[in-house]
Amino acid sequence: MADEFSGAITTWDASTIARAVGEGVCTAEAVTAAHLQRIAAIDPQVQAFIHVDTSRALAAAQAIDARRARGEKLGPLAGVPVAVKDQIAVAGLPQTAASKILQGYIAPYDATAVALLRAADAVVIGKTNQDEFGMGSSTENSAWGPTHNPWDLQRIPGGSSGGSAAAVAAALAPIALGTDTGGSIRQPAALCGVSGLKPTYGRVSRYGAIAFASSLDQIGPMARSPAELALVLQVLAGLDPRDATSEQGPALASGPLIAADLQGVRLGVPVQWRGVREGQDPGVAAQVQATLVQLATAGAKIVEVDVPLLDASVACYYVVATAEASANLARYDGIRFGRRAAWTAQATVDELYASSRAQGFGAEVQRRILLGTYALSSGYYDAFYKKASQVRRLLTAQLHAALAQCDALVGPTSPQCAWPLGARTQEPMAMYLMDIFTISANLAGLPALSLPVLPHPTSGLPIGLQLLGAPWAEWRILSIAKAISDLQPGPQRWPTAVEAP
Ligand code: GLN
């Protein structure tokens, strides 16, 4: 492998870095320094990071180098820099979920996912920007300002894990963690031209992730290829006694990801995801269709499946997610948790709660709390929350039935490529409808990933293909994703709006 370690360190993928550090080709410190330097040069334009942890990242890298010098065997992510969504706890670093109400909060412990990455010898380099509490599809709902898409700085990176996606795309970090409640890993991955995986509900511990909608939230990896997602998932997966909803689940394969033989693959296209739907960019539909034709030519069997309730998924999700959010966010009242508003002697406790919450939460978060409280209120519970729970159960059954006929459901990740900053901020409904393809996986607890396919025919912007699998079938959809990316090779594409690494 003559040229495996050629090119700038920031272009190396995680497995290359781990090998280079493990074999002494370069130090973990050099890898971390290279990424920190690129962050300093590029991130003022992208604004993927809320907080860069320069000194502790370098210290962690040096400690890894010292262990290697003593002859210790290093972990599978030796010296790999990782960017962590602000929603996820990293001990000693600010954790605000991009909300003013958590300004000044320093996480006292590592999320389990972060602890596992560290145990595998990864190096946390910083916290990434996101929509406040994960609520949004564009990272414009951050209290700290938006992140810019490295393919076009005037466009959004997707959301809510937009900072993590932009960081991986712009070669500021080879891997990142995101959280996905309704598409927040997959959609920004799609819009930034990287890969992202939402694991089966329970596969990865949520301990240390600030709750948005607990029955939908999952932590997952973002990276520049399906093989890299697999490598990180192997580190993250497993039962955690600190998260009662986590499960051991059937084991993942060990060793590197191997591409599926497309001859034996059956892909289901839901009729509800076919063709050009209302609000969908025809260029996105065309490239997804072109990819399906390539897959069929390579031997995959493409079958049509019918999942009628997919059409109800946005409506169902925005009742369930807002209901759970209204309960989860009740704790931020300025007394028990969250930044307290200025207190005047005349104010009652209720007024102090109200002013702390009004000042601390952004407009979208307030909208969701109102919606969720309404959906759960005694007069409307049956009409909204109960009905949505019933739809959720039926949709799950329909998805299981469809997945019994194929290895994965396939379609676009997002109906649109990255849109201009500001284009949808005044229209919450238009923003919600961008989640049409991603939220069913969360409602049903299924694993789903996005991988970049052919770019948009006119704008050249990235397009993501989504694969949605049966419970615990991460490895199957990852191996199919690898086969698809092998089919559409070409040199690694770097975003065009920032200097190439
Ligand atoms: N865009 C969706 C929302 O706004 C999904 C967010 C997420 O997955 N965290 O709720």
Side-chain angles (χ1 to χ4, degrees), residues 49 88 116 139 154 157-158 171 174 190 205 207 236 262 293 403 466 490:
F49 286 88
I88 302 169
L116 289 169
T139 312
Q154 303 311 318
S205 169
Y207 179 72
L236 297 179
L262 287 171
V293 170
L403 285 162
Q466 179 176 226

Side-chain angles (χ1 to χ4, degrees), residues 62 73 77 79 91 101 128 134 163 183 186 195 226 237 261-262 265 287 309-310 356 404 437 442 467 473-474 488 500:
Q62 286 160 358
K73 189 170 161 8
L77 295 174
I101 205 147
T128 57
R186 292 159 283 157
S195 298
D261 176 2
L262 287 171
V265 167
Q287 297 301 56
L309 280 173
L310 280 177
S356 297
F437 298 123
N442 303 76
L467 295 176
E474 285 91 347
Q488 296 186 346

Side-chain angles (χ1 to χ4, degrees), residues 267-292:
L267 296 172
V269 179
V271 291
Q272 290 74 15
W273 288 355
R274 271 201 95 94
V276 184
R277 301 171 53 91
E278 195 193 331
Q280 188 175 3
D281 179 335
V284 172
Q287 297 301 56
V288 167
Q289 186 54 33
T291 303
L292 290 178

Side-chain angles (χ1 to χ4, degrees), residues 9-168:
I9 289 178
T10 47
T11 66
W12 295 359
D13 59 27
S15 52
T16 306
I17 292 172
R19 247 193 323 276
V21 171
E23 291 169 14
V25 175
C26 74
T27 61
E29 186 181 359
V31 173
T32 299
H35 285 89
L36 290 170
Q37 230 167 50
R38 185 162 166 84
I39 291 170
I42 303 290
D43 207 42
Q45 302 159 58
V46 177
Q47 291 169 40
F49 286 88
I50 295 178
H51 185 90
V52 180
D53 193 23
T54 305
S55 57
R56 292 201 316 173
L58 286 169
Q62 286 160 358
I64 291 167
D65 292 331
R67 285 186 23 235
R68 181 175 185 279
R70 288 200 297 270
E72 279 181 42
K73 189 170 161 8
L74 300 180
L77 295 174
V80 176
V82 52
V84 178
K85 185 180 187 178
D86 197 34
Q87 193 122 356
I88 302 169
V90 176
L93 295 193
Q95 181 184 18
T96 67
S99 181
K100 273 197 200 127
I101 205 147
L102 282 170
Q103 190 166 26
Y105 175 71
I106 306 289
Y109 63 92
D110 276 337
T112 297
V114 171
L116 289 169
L117 289 174
R118 285 199 212 272
D121 289 326
V123 174
V124 174
I125 54 170
K127 304 293 298 285
T128 57
N129 199 16
Q130 56 165 96
D131 287 297
E132 186 177 1
F133 286 104
M135 298 175 185
S137 309
S138 68
T139 312
E140 292 167 298
N141 295 334
S142 166
W144 320 126
T147 294
H148 300 254
N149 192 309
W151 291 89
D152 178 345
L153 297 170
Q154 303 311 318
R155 291 175 185 269
I156 56 107
S160 64
S161 313
S164 286
V168 172

Side-chain angles (χ1 to χ4, degrees), residues 442-463:
N442 303 76
L443 287 168
L446 300 172
L449 62 79
S450 178
L451 80 154
V453 289
L454 304 165
H456 191 276
T458 51
S459 68
L461 289 168
I463 292 176

